[in-house]
Amino acid sequence: MSDIWLRAAFLVCVFGAVLLGVERLIGWLARNRTDSRAVNQRLQQMKGGRDSESTLAMLRLASLQIAESAPHMLRPMARKFDRTMTAAQLGVAPTRVLLLLVVAPLGLLLAGIVILLVTGAPVGVGRLIMLATVAALIGGVLPMMVIQFRANRAKRKMVEQFPIALDVFVRGLRAGHPISAALELLTVEMPDPIGTQFGRAVDEVTYGADMRDALQSMAERWDLDDMRMFVVSLSVQSETGGNLAEVLENLTKVIRERASMMMKVRALSSEGRMTGVMLTALPVLAMTALFLLNPPFYLDVADDPAFLPGFLGLITLYMIGFITIRRMVDLKV
């Protein structure tokens, strides 16, 4: 056999080996991805050896409410922060995240002042304001933007999963399961985030809470009107009786039609919303990146007498534009 045929046979064998290896790798990744989607966070914790009580304690710790201990004037902002942290599902107590968001800018500001003192650069009021602004952006604003993005993504997924969860719940009722068993079915069949949230509600009921109170707490944590209508339907059925499966089936149709209308509104307003995101995030990202790449670009003019009123005016105009854009693109359906 000539060398050409030997080389051809060798290349064919190499091609077959690589193809077989890639196929096995893709199959392994697909199986792992499917398994990770089929099991939610609560079931993963139980699979790792935790019991339901410790899992419930961990989920409650990750969504502790700070609005109750906040001053009366700050409670709306604290309640919004609680809901954002619940939706973001970081697995960390909101109080700890809030502490990090406060401590990180202070630490960055102190580090910047130390660098100026070590390098022998002057430390004026303008430079301190500039350092404080950049420290607040890096240590507070940018992490909060990431948390808000993650929370919005989880909330959209929750809205998409809720009609499917109602379908599973209705099928469980029609199969003869009681309400508690139908809810338990959701904790096994549904992935995150809705599977873990229903699992937490079921665990709370198991340890003595009323079912309506547990589901109402879940609806308030996520601030979803669809969940509130679901809780109202359960409350009315438990007090007056009736065919709960039929009521929830009609509710599912209403939720899907409402979601369809909301998607149409989002499609028609996509240009405005994207413009709002760009005009809101681009100045923050541009200023942070430019300061990190070339600090003298800002620090060299920070001692100018016109810097302080100009910079404060710039921030004021940015906040006015931010609030105006948010009100323009915040459409209610």
Side-chain angles (χ1 to χ4, degrees):
M1 184 179 292
S2 62
D3 294 340
I4 297 178
W5 288 107
L6 289 176
R7 291 178 181 179
F10 177 74
L11 292 176
V12 169
C13 292
V14 171
F15 174 77
V18 172
L19 181 63
L20 182 61
V22 171
E23 183 182 1
R24 292 295 180 89
L25 179 62
I26 293 176
W28 178 76
L29 292 175
R31 287 193 299 271
N32 287 348
R33 189 175 182 183
T34 303
D35 293 341
S36 63
R37 287 183 176 180
V39 180
N40 54 54
Q41 180 185 5
R42 173 176 170 270
L43 295 182
Q44 287 177 354
Q45 294 293 331
M46 292 183 177
K47 185 178 179 181
R50 288 178 176 266
D51 55 2
S52 59
E53 185 176 1
S54 59
T55 302
L56 177 60
M58 183 199 67
L59 295 176
R60 281 181 170 176
L61 178 64
S63 60
L64 287 175
Q65 302 293 312
I66 63 175
E68 298 178 357
S69 59
H72 183 72
M73 295 181 62
L74 298 178
R75 283 186 180 179
M77 296 178 60
R79 192 175 294 111
K80 185 176 180 180
F81 181 78
D82 288 335
R83 289 170 176 170
T84 301
M85 292 301 303
T86 299
Q89 294 182 311
L90 299 178
V92 183
T95 53
R96 183 175 299 179
V97 176
L98 184 61
L99 180 62
L100 290 175
L101 291 176
V102 174
V103 172
L106 295 177
L108 292 174
L109 176 60
L110 293 177
I113 294 175
V114 170
I115 292 175
L116 290 179
L117 294 176
V118 170
T119 57
V123 182
V125 178
R127 291 181 177 235
L128 289 177
I129 293 177
M130 177 57 64
L131 288 176
T133 303
V134 175
L137 292 178
I138 297 176
V141 176
L142 291 180
M144 196 62 202
M145 290 174 63
V146 174
I147 293 174
Q148 186 67 50
F149 173 79
R150 179 167 177 168
N152 292 337
R153 184 176 60 181
K155 196 170 183 179
R156 286 195 299 268
K157 191 174 182 180
M158 192 83 164
V159 173
E160 294 173 0
Q161 289 178 334
F162 192 68
I164 302 175
L166 285 184
D167 288 337
V168 176
F169 185 75
V170 169
R171 289 170 187 158
L173 292 178
R174 288 181 173 174
H177 295 292
I179 295 179
S180 58
L183 288 177
E184 182 68 29
L185 186 63
L186 297 179
T187 67
V188 178
E189 297 294 335
M190 297 300 298
D192 280 334
I194 199 168
T196 298
Q197 297 304 316
F198 271 111
R200 174 179 171 178
V202 170
D203 290 340
E204 290 176 351
V205 173
T206 303
Y207 288 102
D210 184 73
M211 181 179 297
R212 286 177 293 180
D213 294 338
L215 293 175
Q216 183 66 33
S217 298
M218 182 179 69
E220 293 299 327
R221 285 195 304 269
W222 286 84
D223 192 24
L224 293 178
D225 294 333
D226 298 341
M227 286 188 178
R228 293 190 179 98
M229 290 189 290
F230 172 66
V231 176
V232 170
S233 300
L234 289 180
S235 301
V236 172
Q237 192 274 340
S238 63
E239 294 177 0
T240 63
N243 191 345
L244 181 60
E246 184 177 355
V247 173
L248 294 181
E249 186 176 6
N250 294 330
L251 177 60
T252 305
K253 294 179 181 178
V254 173
I255 292 175
R256 284 200 166 96
E257 291 176 357
R258 182 170 174 267
S260 177
M261 183 181 297
M262 185 178 298
M263 292 182 66
K264 291 180 181 179
V265 173
R266 287 179 61 86
L268 293 175
S269 62
S270 59
E271 182 180 358
R273 289 186 295 105
M274 185 56 62
T275 303
V277 171
M278 294 301 297
L279 293 178
T280 301
L282 187 59
V284 176
L285 297 176
M287 180 179 178
T288 303
L290 187 58
F291 185 87
L292 294 177
L293 295 175
N294 188 17
F297 182 83
Y298 290 105
L299 296 179
D300 288 346
V301 299
D303 295 328
D304 191 278
F307 172 79
L308 185 58
F311 188 69
L312 295 178
L314 178 65
I315 293 180
T316 302
L317 292 176
Y318 175 79
M319 295 304 300
I320 293 175
F322 173 77
I323 296 173
T324 304
I325 291 174
R326 288 297 300 269
R327 289 186 176 181
M328 290 175 61
V329 300
D330 188 15
L331 303 177
K332 302 295 183 182
V333 180

